[in-house]
Amino acid sequence: EPAIGLFHKELVQCVSAFVDKQPALVSSACQFLIKFWPTQWDGNSPKEVLFLHELEALLDHEDFANVIDDELVMQITKRLRVCLASDNSTVCERALIFWRNEVATNNLLGRSATSNEVVYSTAQPLLAHALTHWNKTVTVMAAHVVRKLLSGYESIVLSVAQESFLTKRDPE
């Protein structure tokens, strides 16, 4: 476990307290997380899990949608997509747990300019893991998130499913 794990809970509480007092800090904190996010190639999945936890805590603020721009939403979505596509079950599970948080997901999906892009970007790894991930828990959790996205974005999810299926069936 990384050394940050020893004081991570307190760090998240501290950052959350600052963001509660000054909501404009959400954007800076998210940009900082994205800038220093460990990659899967670093082999530091415990740190990725901690970063996912902190990102969720930041996105869990009601003022989030008012203080960030569409570009940051897409950067966050890209990071979540990578984590959702991970073969590491711990990282993937933590990214899937993120989608249970109604406030956080509403903050990502509630922006009309980017909501379809967010769903489109995350649907492919979700569908893949719902069908083929080696870890049963990830498979079940991914299927649950797919059902959740289907309830509000059925046409996009079905489009991604069709594209994924056709790509695998017809490699041309």
Side-chain angles (χ1 to χ4, degrees):
E1 185 173 322
I4 193 171
L6 300 174
F7 56 88
H8 184 259
K9 181 179 178 184
E10 293 79 8
L11 180 63
V12 171
Q13 289 172 343
C14 181
V15 171
S16 289
F18 276 115
V19 168
D20 286 340
K21 296 218 183 284
Q22 195 170 1
L25 291 175
V26 169
S27 180
S28 298
C30 286
Q31 289 170 345
F32 180 84
L33 275 177
I34 290 169
K35 180 178 179 179
F36 293 102
W37 198 283
T39 65
Q40 65 185 26
W41 311 114
D42 295 336
N44 203 341
S45 53
K47 191 180 282 184
E48 266 189 291
V49 170
L50 294 175
F51 272 55
L52 281 163
H53 173 73
E54 186 153 352
L55 182 63
E56 180 183 356
L58 289 169
L59 294 178
D60 197 21
H61 286 83
E62 297 291 340
D63 293 325
F64 177 84
N66 300 326
V67 295
I68 67 156
D69 59 15
D70 293 342
E71 182 181 338
L72 183 56
V73 168
M74 294 315 298
Q75 289 174 349
I76 292 168
T77 301
K78 181 180 176 184
R79 182 52 46 203
L80 285 172
R81 184 182 199 284
V82 169
C83 293
L84 287 169
S86 177
D87 286 331
N88 183 303
S89 62
T90 308
V91 171
C92 193
E93 278 182 46
R94 188 60 189 94
L96 288 163
I97 288 170
F98 170 89
W99 288 95
R100 288 187 190 166
N101 185 322
E102 292 296 323
V103 174
T105 55
N106 287 341
N107 277 331
L108 279 184
L109 296 173
R111 303 174 67 83
S112 60
T114 58
S115 62
N116 289 346
E117 289 180 68
V118 170
V119 173
Y120 186 87
S121 180
T122 56
Q124 195 280 326
L126 284 169
L127 289 166
H129 282 332
L131 297 172
T132 62
H133 199 276
W134 63 269
N135 184 291
K136 182 71 173 165
T137 303
V138 168
T139 302
V140 170
M141 291 174 73
H144 175 74
V145 176
V146 168
R147 279 192 299 277
K148 180 178 178 178
L149 290 178
L150 276 169
S151 68
Y153 301 90
E154 182 177 1
S155 63
I156 297 170
V157 175
L158 293 177
S159 171
V160 171
Q162 186 176 17
E163 287 174 18
S164 297
F165 180 73
L166 289 176
T167 302
K168 288 181 181 177
R169 300 272 296 161
D170 184 18
E172 296 174 18

